[in-house]
Amino acid sequence: MKRQEQIRKDLIEVFNRRYATKKFDQTKKISNEDWQIIMEAARLSPSSFGYEPWKFLLIENQQIKEDLKDLAWGAVNSLNGASHFIICLARNDVTADSKYAKYMVEEVFHNQYEEHSPRTDAFRNFQANDFQLNDSKSLFEWACKQTYIALGNMLTTAAWLGIDSCPIEGFNREKVSSYLIDHNLMDPEHYGLSHMAGFGYRDQQITPKTRQPLDKIYEVIK
Ligand SMILES: Cc1cc2nc3c(=O)[nH]c(=O)nc-3n(C[C@H](O)[C@H](O)[C@H](O)COP(=O)(O)O)c2cc1C
């Protein structure tokens, strides 16, 4: 019981210590060991039907960082000081009949791919009828939603490790996408741009949380 109490306390502390860091200490670098755990949190994240419709680009190239500053106003703080800077891509091609689905079923789920297996049929039906994911734009937005689950896990994992972070949507999607395509960093046949994130160590006080009380956002239905 004592242990459970401690876990509860630790969890809330971690959620309070995670905040959207505006100023990073550019002299402090995340260790490779810690970074691998953050990426493992992304890799192990859940996704709809398990198709993992994401790719994470760790941007180490200084010129790319400089170029992004003009296109991504919300990323400037991270680009200036974060130890690690991520661009997350979401797939736009995950359908039951895609090459990618066949690859996932065979290479990752270790099943035989069949056009009309119960899994493939259920997935096709879900996309067509339940969620009406019938074009690459809606497939892309559906995949983006899932990348945010990985993002949340990465932010929380970083906080557990004493690492600060900032999630980023402050960019012109069209301009950054064109940049990534022009620099061969994103193949638009398979991917679109979802979000960015910076990870590192703060060079400022933690911003205290401003949140609505639970009763404004939570209702128990009896
Ligand atoms: C999806 C998403 C996009 C965000 N984009 C930016 C951004 O571009 N730049 C930034 O400085 N903060 C960004 N934030 C941080 C939010 O402003 C911040 O999380 C929110 O105000 C709550 O504050 P806290 O995270 O410090 O608790 C983003 C947060 C989320 C979840």
Side-chain angles (χ1 to χ4, degrees):
M1 194 56 200
K2 268 262 168 293
R3 188 175 134 70
Q4 193 67 3
E5 264 168 39
Q6 190 59 49
I7 292 171
R8 289 189 196 115
K9 205 168 146 269
D10 290 348
L11 262 167
I12 295 307
E13 252 177 52
V14 165
F15 278 104
N16 274 299
R17 93 167 292 292
R18 187 222 52 80
Y19 80 110
T21 305
K22 305 297 177 200
K23 191 160 186 265
F24 287 96
D25 181 342
Q26 48 179 284
T27 64
K28 289 196 186 158
K29 297 292 164 212
I30 298 171
S31 72
N32 193 41
E33 288 81 359
D34 280 350
W35 182 249
Q36 291 311 316
I37 300 296
I38 293 171
M39 283 316 301
E40 201 57 359
R43 194 179 72 88
L44 293 173
S45 293
S47 57
S48 185
F49 286 80
Y51 281 103
E52 305 173 31
W54 46 53
K55 183 169 177 182
F56 303 88
L57 307 179
L58 174 64
I59 307 298
E60 293 187 336
N61 181 294
Q62 195 52 37
Q63 187 57 54
I64 297 174
K65 288 187 184 178
E66 291 304 321
D67 295 344
L68 286 172
K69 285 181 198 172
D70 292 334
L71 311 173
W73 52 269
V76 174
N77 293 320
S78 290
L79 289 164
N80 279 335
S83 162
H84 286 55
F85 185 82
I86 279 284
I87 297 181
C88 178
L89 309 181
R91 295 198 72 110
N92 56 22
D93 63 349
V94 184
T95 62
D97 303 299
S98 63
K99 257 193 178 163
Y100 179 72
K102 186 170 186 293
Y103 150 76
M104 285 298 293
V105 170
E106 289 181 346
E107 308 285 326
V108 182
F109 308 150
H110 304 297
N111 284 326
Q112 203 182 330
Y113 177 83
E114 283 166 35
E115 217 177 297
H116 288 293
S117 67
R119 168 189 267 276
T120 308
D121 280 343
F123 185 46
R124 193 182 293 106
N125 184 54
F126 161 78
Q127 288 199 315
N129 301 317
D130 294 335
F131 264 49
Q132 295 170 358
L133 305 169
N134 296 317
D135 54 55
S136 77
K137 176 142 177 47
S138 49
L139 283 169
F140 167 61
E141 295 297 349
W142 169 72
C144 279
K145 291 195 282 188
Q146 297 170 60
T147 68
Y148 283 78
I149 299 172
L151 171 66
N153 286 338
M154 291 169 85
L155 303 180
T156 305
T157 302
W160 271 106
L161 294 167
I163 293 167
D164 298 301
S165 62
C166 187
I168 297 159
E169 271 184 341
F171 52 82
N172 184 304
R173 208 185 222 180
E174 210 180 302
K175 287 186 185 163
V176 177
S177 299
S178 299
Y179 179 89
L180 296 176
I181 294 165
D182 291 348
H183 289 75
N184 287 326
L185 299 172
M186 180 172 86
D187 177 356
E189 255 194 60
H190 302 292
Y191 293 99
L193 169 61
S194 177
H195 63 263
M196 304 174 180
F199 297 87
Y201 295 93
R202 77 188 111 93
D203 192 10
Q204 61 179 172
Q205 295 287 326
I206 287 186
T207 319
K209 289 272 162 280
T210 57
R211 291 293 190 272
Q212 297 176 71
L214 191 61
D215 64 7
K216 291 271 189 225
I217 59 155
Y218 170 67
E219 193 178 340
V220 180
I221 313 297
K222 295 210 166 148

